[in-house]
Amino acid sequence: MATLGDIGLSAALNILSALIFFLAFALLRIQPFNDRVYFPKWYLKGLRSSPSHSGAFVRKFVNLDFRSYLRFLNWMPVALKMPEPELIDHAGLDSAVYLRIYLLGLKIFVPIAFLAWAILVPVNWTSSNLNGKQLLNVTSSDIDKLSISNVPAESPRFWTHIVMAYAFTFWTCYVLLKEYEKIASMRLQFLASERRRPDQFSVLVRNVPPDPDESVSESVEHFFLVNHPDHYLTHQVVYDANKLAKLVKKKKKMQNWLVYYRNKFSRNDSKRPMMKTGFLGLWGDRVDALEYYTTEIDKLSKEIAEERERVINDPKSVVPAAFVSFKTRWGAAVCAQTQQSRNPTLWLTDWAPEPRDVYWKNLAIPYVSLTVRRLIMGVSFFFLTFFFMIPIAFVQSLASIEGIEKAAPFLKPIIEIKFIKSFIQGFLPGIALKLFLIFLPGILMIMSKFEGFTSLSSLERRAASRYYLFNFVNVFLGSIIAGTAFEQLDTFMNQSANEIPETLGVAIPMKATFFITYIMVDGWAGIAGEILMLKPLIIYHLKNFFLVKTEKDREEAMDPGSLGFNTGEPRIQFYFLLGLVYATVTPVLLPFIIVFFALAYVVFRHQIINVYNQEYESGAAFWPDVHGRVIIALVISQVLMMGLLGTKEAAQSTPFIIALPVLTIWFHMFCKGRYESAFVKYPLQEAMMKDTLERAREPNLNLKGYLQNAYTHPVFKESEEDEEEDHEVGGDSWETESARVPTKRQSRRNTPLASRISGVSSPSLPDAVVEQP
Amino acid sequence: MATLGDIGLSAALNILSALIFFLAFALLRIQPFNDRVYFPKWYLKGLRSSPSHSGAFVRKFVNLDFRSYLRFLNWMPVALKMPEPELIDHAGLDSAVYLRIYLLGLKIFVPIAFLAWAILVPVNWTSSNLNGKQLLNVTSSDIDKLSISNVPAESPRFWTHIVMAYAFTFWTCYVLLKEYEKIASMRLQFLASERRRPDQFSVLVRNVPPDPDESVSESVEHFFLVNHPDHYLTHQVVYDANKLAKLVKKKKKMQNWLVYYRNKFSRNDSKRPMMKTGFLGLWGDRVDALEYYTTEIDKLSKEIAEERERVINDPKSVVPAAFVSFKTRWGAAVCAQTQQSRNPTLWLTDWAPEPRDVYWKNLAIPYVSLTVRRLIMGVSFFFLTFFFMIPIAFVQSLASIEGIEKAAPFLKPIIEIKFIKSFIQGFLPGIALKLFLIFLPGILMIMSKFEGFTSLSSLERRAASRYYLFNFVNVFLGSIIAGTAFEQLDTFMNQSANEIPETLGVAIPMKATFFITYIMVDGWAGIAGEILMLKPLIIYHLKNFFLVKTEKDREEAMDPGSLGFNTGEPRIQFYFLLGLVYATVTPVLLPFIIVFFALAYVVFRHQIINVYNQEYESGAAFWPDVHGRVIIALVISQVLMMGLLGTKEAAQSTPFIIALPVLTIWFHMFCKGRYESAFVKYPLQEAMMKDTLERAREPNLNLKGYLQNAYTHPVFKESEEDEEEDHEVGGDSWETESARVPTKRQSRRNTPLASRISGVSSPSLPDAVVEQP
C-alpha cells in the first residue's frame, strides 16, 4: 500500500515529465523546420506554406526570436480561443464533438468533486475505523482515512454515501441528457447546413443476388428503376480491386526506394548505389540499385495496367454491391431506411458512408459469411480478453518490490533506497500496464475488419467498444482483484450474484492509490507526451532527409495523424469509470481525474486545430456509444457501491441502492428512444427541406455528373492521377485536385510512405529527376 | 415420489376424463339446439343457417338419428381433412400458423423421442446407480431407473447424453429454421395474395406536435403534403371517444335488461315485472322494470347523442394521432419505415394495424409517459413474478399427503386408502397450480394495456411473453425447487453462477413424475375440455332463454371465442420447455408430450374450423416470438444439462456442452437477421408489385372513397348502425353490413351481452317488440 509520500513523489515525477514534454514541445514547435510536424493541418488546408521562402538560411531551420521562447505555454490560450462553430468548420463535427467528451468529464466531475470534498471527505475523516484497526497491525495509508474504509461497519454515516450516490447519479444523468440533446441538434444542424455531399444522395446496396441473364450493373439498374422509379438516378458498381491495390502499394514502395537511392547517388556521385535483392537486403545477388528498381517499377507498371484492364473488363471482378444514387435526398433517405426485397438478406440497403470512409475490402461479404464471422470474432474476443491477463499479472507481480527482490535478490540494496522504492511502487505498475495495451488496438481493428463492417467509422466504433470491454475486464477488474485470467473467471463463476460485488467492493478502496498513479502516468504525462508528436517528428525528418525532393514530397512526408477514436475514446471512458466508481468511495481521486480532463481538453483542442487531419467525417455518429458507456460506468459504480455497503453490514440500506441501477438503465432506454435515431436515421422532413431549397437555388444542377464518379475505388483514382502527373511534372495541381476529389487524402494517410512522384510509366520523368541536381 | 402405479392411475383418470369430455362433446354437438355453440364460425361466415327451419318440433332440439351417435369421434378426421390453403382462406393466417406451433412440437419431439428411447433409455436402464442406493434406503421410483439418475457419477456413459444433447439441439434448430423459412414465405404470400385492405395503405401517426395555429387535422395534412407530396392521399383523425364508448356500453346493458323483462312479461302477462333500483337489485325503490329501463335508455340515448356532438365538434377531443392513407402501398411502406421529423419522438409513424386490431384507448399517449409506464410495469411485473409464488407453494404443500395429514389429522384414515392417496398425489398438485394460473392472463393483459401498445395483437404478444416468463419462474423453477418466492430469489442471489444450474440440474430428474401428471391434467384432460366449450354453451342457452327474440339476437348470443394467443401460446411453450429439458434427462416424459401435441393439434384444428372467430388478423406476426421462446427453452435445457453433469462429476465433459448454448444463441441471431424482418417490415418490391398490378387492373379505382372511413372509432359506427336499424327493424342487413364494415364484429365480440336491437331513440320499436308475441 503506497503512502501519501509515494503518491506525492509520483505526482512530482509526473508533473515534472509533463512539464518537460511541454517545454520540449514549446521549443520544437517554434523551429521553422518542424513547422510541418506541428502545424500540418494548416498546410493541408492550404492556409500555410513553408516558412523557408524568405529570410536567412539559418532562419529556415532555427527560430532566433528569443522572445518566443519565453511564452512557451502560450499555445494553451490560443487553443482555447477558437470558438466551437469555427472549430466545426475547421476540423469537422467529429473532432468538435470528440472534444466535448472531455468537457463532459469536466461538467460531470467538477461539481461532484466539490460536493464530495465538502461532505464525504469530512464524514470519512472524522470516523475512526482505521485507527482502531491500526492497533491490530493492519497498515493503512493516509488516503484511506479520507475514504469510505475509515467508516466503521454498521455506522449510520453510510446514509451520507447513499444520498451522495443518488446525487451523483442524478447529476451525471442530467449532464448526459443535456449533452445528448445538444449533440443531436449539433449533428442535425451540421447535416443540414452542410454543402452537397455524395453520401447524402447515395445508398450502399449489398448482397445483390446473382442473375444468370444480367450483369450486376444491369441487375441493379433494373431493380431500382422498377422499385424507385421516380427517384433513381444512377449507380456505380464496386470492383474487387484488392489485388490492384496491392500492386499499386508495392509500386509506391519501390518508387520510394528508387528515390532514396537516387538521392544517395546525387549526394555521392562517385559510386552508383548497389544493393542485394534478397530478404531485407541481407543476401542475394548484388545489383545496381537504380537499375534494379527502375526495371522492377516498369514491370509493376505493366502489371498494374493489365490488372486494371482485367478488373474493369472482367465481369467476375465486379462484386455484388453497388452505390446507388438518387435524384433527391428524400429518395436516398427512403431507400436507406426501408427493406427492398422479400428476402431480407438480399438487396440490403444502408446509408452510403462518405467516400473517404468506405472500407472497400468488405463490401462483398455475403450474409451467411458475415454471421459466421461475427460468431468467430465473438468467441476469439472472449478468449483474448480472458487470456491476455496472464502476462499483465505476471509483469505486475514482477514490478512490485517483493517481486523484484524475489526475482533478483542482488538488486535488493538498490531497491531498498527510499527514492527508488517509491519510484517502483508509484511508477512501474502503471507503465507495465500501459506497454501491454499499446499492441491491443491493432489486434482489435483487425478483428473488426474481419467482421465485415463497411466503413472506417463503424470499424473504429466496434474496435472502441471491444477495447472498452477489454479495459474493463483486464485493467479495472484485473487490477482490483489481481490474479491470472482463469483465476478471476473461476472466482466469478464460483461466487454468487451477491458475493461478486462484495469481493470487488471490498477491494476498491484499497486500490485507490494504484489508480491515482495510473491516472498520473497515463493521463497526465501521457497526454503531455501526445502533444510532442515524437514519432511523427522523427519520421518526418527521416523522410525529409531521404525522400523529399520537391515541395510536394514534403507535403507527403507529413503525418498529421488523426484522433484515433478506437483507442482514444475507451481511454477517456476508463477515466469516467474510475471517477464514478471512486466518487463515493475515495473522493481523493477526483481532483486527479479533473486535472486529466482539463489537460487533455486543452492538448487535444490544440492538436485538432493544428495537427490532426481526420480521415473521415461521420457527423458525431459515435455519440450514442459514448453515452452508453458512461451509463455502463454509472451502473457498475452503483453495483460496486452496493457490494461495498453489503460488506459493511449496512444491509438495511441495500434496497435504496437497488433502485439506482434500475433508474439508470431506464434513463438510458429513455435517452435511446429519444435521441438515438438522430444518429442512425435521416428524417424525411430534413431531406425534403434541403431538396426544396436546392431545387430553388440551383434548378439546373447536373447532379448526375456530380455523382457519377463519387464512389470510385481509390486505387483507380490514384492510378489516374499517376497518368495525369506524367503530363504535369512538378505542377502544383495538388490544391485544386484536393478540392475536386476529396477522397484522395485518406488513401494517402494510410500509406504514408507513398511518394506521389511516380511517372515511371512515362519515359521522361526518371531522367528529369536524375538530372535535377 | 410417485411410483409407476401412481402415474398409471393418474393416466387412467385423465384418459377417462378426456374420453368423457369427448363423449359429451360428441353427444352435445349433434343436437340441433347446440348448433350455434359448436359451429358458430359457419354461421358468422353465412354458410350455415339455423337447422330449425324444417322438420318436426322435437327434431329442432334433439338429434334422433342414432347412427350419428355411434360415430362419436368422427369429427377428428374431418378436422384434419381441410387442406392448409383452404384453412388460411377460411380462418386467416394467424390461426393456420398457430396450428403449426403444435405441428412444430410434433416435428421436433417425435424423432427426438424415437432416438431417446432407442439409445438413452437402454443406456440409463442398464446402469445401476439407484440399485446401489436403494440399499441405503433412498427410495426411488421405476421411472427414475429410466432416467439419467440411474447412471452413476463419473460414468463414461454420460458421453451418450452429451452426444444426444448435440443431436437434439441440431434437430431442433433444423426444424426451427425450416419452419421459420416456411412461415416467412407464407406470410409474404398471404400479404401479397390478399385482397385490398385499408391497412396496406395506411400508417398510424402518433405524437403529432401541438400547433397553436392549426388543428391536429390541418397540421397532419400539411405535414404529409409537404413531406410526402407524391403519395399522400387522405387522413383520419382519432377522437377521444372513451366516454362515449362507456355510455354506449351502458346503454346496451340496459337494453339487455329491458329485453329480459319484456320476455318475462310476455311469458307471464298477469303482472308487470318489478325491480329495485339499488345495487344488484337488492335494495332501493321498487319500480316497474319496463318503465324504468325505457326511461333510463331514453336518457342515455340523449346523453350519447350529446356526447357524440361534443366529441365531433370539440377540437379538444381530437387526440394527437391520426391514420394517414397514401395513394400507393409503396408510399405507405416508405412512410411506415422511415423517420419523419428531426425530433424522433414526434410524428412517430408505424404500420397501421388492421382496423379491427386497433386498441383505440392507447393512441394518445405521449412518449415520456410511455417510457415511464414501461418502467412501472417492468418493476411491477418483477414483483408479481416473485411474490405470486407464495400462495402456490402454500397450496402445493397443503396438497401433499403429509400436508393434508398435518393440517387435518382427522382425514388421515381416508387419505391412507390407496386409491385416494394416489389421486391426491397424482392429481391435486396439478390442479392447484392450474387454478392459480387462470387469473393471471387478465392481469397481464391489463398491464400490457397500461404500457400503451396500440394494437390488440401487440397487446397479446406482450402479455404472452410476460406469461411465459411468469410460467418459467413460477411453474417451472417453482416446481423444481419448491419454496416461497423470496427463498428462491435469495437462493439464486447467494449461489454462484456455477451452482445455480447444479441445484436445478440435480432436482430435475426427481421432478419428472410431477411434470408427467401436470402434462396429463393440463395437456390431456384440459385440451379435451376445451372442445366441450362448457362456458359458451351455458351462456348461450341462458341468453337464448332470456334475451333472444329474433334470429339476429340468436346470432349475437353466440360466443365463438378466439384462440387467445396471450394464454395459449405460453402454454404450448411450456411443453416445449419440458420436452427439451427432459429429452436427455428423463426420456420417459416425451411420449406424454407427443400425445399432448397431437391431441391439441386435432382439437384446435377442429375449433378453428368450426368455432373460433379471430378478432383480428396480424398475418402471423407472432412467429418471431414463438421461435425465440423455443430457442430460450433450448438454451435452458442445455444449461441445466451442464449443471446436472457438473454434479455427476463428469467435469471433463463440460466444455463440450458450453459450446452448445453459444451455437444456439448464434443460430438465433442468424435466424433473426435472416427472417425477422419479414414480420416487421414490408418490402418495397412487394408493395411496388401490388401497386403496379392494381393500377393495371383497376385504373379508375376510387381509393380515397375506399379509405375515407376505414379507421373510424367503432363506437361511431355502432351508433350509426343504431340509427340505421331504427329504419330497418328485423331486416336481415347483417350479412351485407358485415361485408361493408369489417370492424363491427370485434366490438361485438368484446361485449357479448350486447343486443343489437336498440331502437330506443326511435319511438316505434319498443311497442313493436312488446306487441310481437
Side-chain angles (χ1 to χ4, degrees), chain B residues 6-234:
Chain B
D6 296 340
I7 299 277
L9 182 71
S10 173
L13 267 174
N14 283 298
I15 290 168
L16 193 68
S17 55
L19 273 180
I20 290 170
F21 287 139
F22 283 141
L23 260 173
F25 168 66
L27 289 178
L28 290 172
R29 74 187 266 274
I30 50 177
Q31 309 310 325
F33 67 94
N34 286 332
D35 213 46
R36 281 182 181 272
V37 177
Y38 291 111
F39 301 96
K41 180 86 182 165
W42 299 101
Y43 285 90
L44 289 173
K45 293 209 105 182
L47 295 172
R48 195 170 179 133
S49 55
S50 291
S52 42
H53 283 309
S54 64
F57 181 78
V58 183
R59 286 224 164 178
K60 271 189 191 172
F61 301 101
V62 185
N63 188 329
L64 299 176
D65 180 1
F66 289 101
R67 278 165 303 171
S68 61
Y69 289 94
L70 293 174
R71 305 189 299 267
F72 79 99
L73 277 178
N74 74 342
W75 57 269
M76 281 191 175
V78 172
L80 295 175
K81 229 181 254 163
M82 186 183 273
E84 199 170 44
E86 202 185 318
L87 186 70
I88 294 173
D89 205 47
H90 176 75
L93 187 67
D94 275 350
S95 307
V97 169
Y98 190 85
L99 284 180
R100 287 189 77 97
I101 308 179
Y102 295 107
L103 268 190
L104 179 73
L106 290 175
K107 280 181 200 161
I108 289 177
F109 288 115
V110 169
I112 285 183
F114 272 107
L115 205 61
W117 277 84
I119 296 173
L120 282 185
V121 168
V123 166
N124 292 337
W125 181 255
T126 53
S127 285
S128 51
N129 190 33
L130 297 170
N131 289 341
K133 279 203 180 152
Q134 239 154 10
L135 299 176
L136 303 167
N137 238 350
V138 177
T139 57
S140 68
S141 74
D142 304 331
I143 283 179
D144 284 339
K145 281 203 187 127
L146 299 170
S147 87
I148 203 171
S149 318
N150 203 29
V151 181
E154 291 178 73
S155 164
R157 289 182 183 226
F158 286 119
W159 287 105
T160 331
H161 297 86
I162 292 170
V163 172
M164 284 294 110
Y166 268 89
F168 295 165
T169 300
F170 280 119
W171 174 249
T172 308
C173 287
Y174 174 76
V175 174
L176 279 174
L177 181 74
K178 286 281 149 208
E179 199 68 16
Y180 214 151
E181 196 177 345
K182 172 82 185 152
I183 284 162
S185 85
M186 276 168 81
R187 174 179 162 90
L188 286 174
Q189 207 181 340
F190 177 76
L191 293 179
S193 71
E194 230 179 352
R195 60 175 206 295
R196 188 163 47 241
R197 277 186 358 191
D199 50 310
Q200 292 168 338
F201 294 91
S202 303
V203 161
L204 168 61
V205 183
R206 287 193 292 162
N207 289 15
V208 176
D211 191 312
D213 304 322
E214 287 183 325
S215 71
V216 171
S217 176
E218 286 164 340
S219 171
V220 168
E221 181 158 14
H222 290 167
F223 185 86
F224 284 93
L225 270 178
V226 166
N227 293 304
H228 296 265
D230 306 332
H231 307 285
Y232 170 78
L233 182 67
T234 180

Side-chain angles (χ1 to χ4, degrees), chain A residues 226-241:
Chain A
V226 167
N227 292 304
H228 295 266
D230 306 332
H231 307 286
Y232 171 78
L233 181 68
T234 179
H235 74 277
Q236 288 162 267
V237 291
V238 176
Y239 294 101
D240 178 8

Side-chain angles (χ1 to χ4, degrees), chain A residues 11 16 46 111 135 143 177 322 345 379 402 405 418-419 438 443 447 479 533 544 608 758:
Chain A
L16 194 68
L135 300 176
I143 282 178
L177 181 74
T345 61
V379 173
E402 297 77 21
E405 280 178 6
K418 204 168 178 309
F419 174 79
I438 282 174
I443 301 169
M447 284 170 69
S479 302
M533 306 238 337
N544 208 5
I608 281 169
S758 54

Side-chain angles (χ1 to χ4, degrees), chain A residues 77-103:
Chain A
V78 172
L80 294 176
K81 229 183 252 161
M82 185 184 271
E84 198 169 47
E86 203 184 317
L87 186 71
I88 295 174
D89 204 47
H90 175 77
L93 187 66
D94 275 348
S95 307
V97 170
Y98 190 85
L99 283 180
R100 287 188 78 99
I101 308 179
Y102 295 107
L103 269 189

Side-chain angles (χ1 to χ4, degrees), chain A residues 188-189 192 223 226-231 330 333-334 337-345 367-368 371-372 375 379 492-499 662-663 666 669-670 673-675 677-678 681-686 688, chain B residues 188-189 192 223 226-231 330 333-334 337-345 367-368 371-372 375 379 492-499 662-663 666 669-670 673-675 677-678 681-686 688:
Chain A
L188 286 174
Q189 206 180 344
F223 185 85
V226 167
N227 292 304
H228 295 266
D230 306 332
H231 307 286
W330 193 92
V334 159
Q337 293 179 48
T338 50
Q339 189 186 335
Q340 308 303 316
S341 129
R342 273 190 148 195
N343 183 335
T345 61
Y367 179 77
V368 177
T371 52
V372 174
L375 172 68
V379 173
F492 284 131
M493 290 298 290
N494 286 314
Q495 276 185 331
S496 76
N498 267 345
E499 279 166 17
V662 173
L663 286 173
W666 172 77
M669 293 191 312
F670 171 81
R674 179 71 185 71
Y675 299 113
S677 70
K681 289 180 170 181
Y682 189 53
L684 295 186
Q685 200 181 13
E686 291 280 324
M688 192 47 100
Chain B
L188 286 174
Q189 207 181 340
F223 185 86
V226 166
N227 293 304
H228 296 265
D230 306 332
H231 307 285
W330 193 92
V334 160
Q337 293 178 49
T338 50
Q339 189 187 337
Q340 308 303 315
S341 127
R342 276 190 145 195
N343 183 334
T345 62
Y367 178 78
V368 177
T371 51
V372 173
L375 172 70
V379 173
F492 285 131
M493 290 298 288
N494 286 314
Q495 276 185 331
S496 75
N498 268 345
E499 279 167 16
V662 173
L663 286 173
W666 172 78
M669 292 193 311
F670 172 81
R674 178 72 184 70
Y675 298 114
S677 71
K681 289 180 170 179
Y682 189 51
L684 295 186
Q685 200 181 13
E686 291 281 324
M688 191 49 100

Side-chain angles (χ1 to χ4, degrees), chain A residues 300-325:
Chain A
L300 268 175
S301 294
K302 261 177 225 147
E303 255 182 82
I304 287 171
E306 273 167 33
E307 175 70 17
R308 259 191 84 181
E309 264 334 275
R310 195 191 65 74
V311 165
I312 291 172
N313 297 324
D314 184 4
K316 271 182 201 157
S317 68
V318 175
V319 303
F323 289 94
V324 177
S325 298

Side-chain angles (χ1 to χ4, degrees), chain A residues 52-76:
Chain A
S52 42
H53 285 311
S54 65
F57 181 77
V58 184
R59 288 222 164 180
K60 270 191 194 172
F61 300 101
V62 184
N63 188 330
L64 299 175
D65 181 359
F66 289 101
R67 279 165 306 171
S68 61
Y69 289 94
L70 293 173
R71 305 189 300 265
F72 79 99
L73 276 178
N74 73 343
W75 58 268
M76 282 192 177

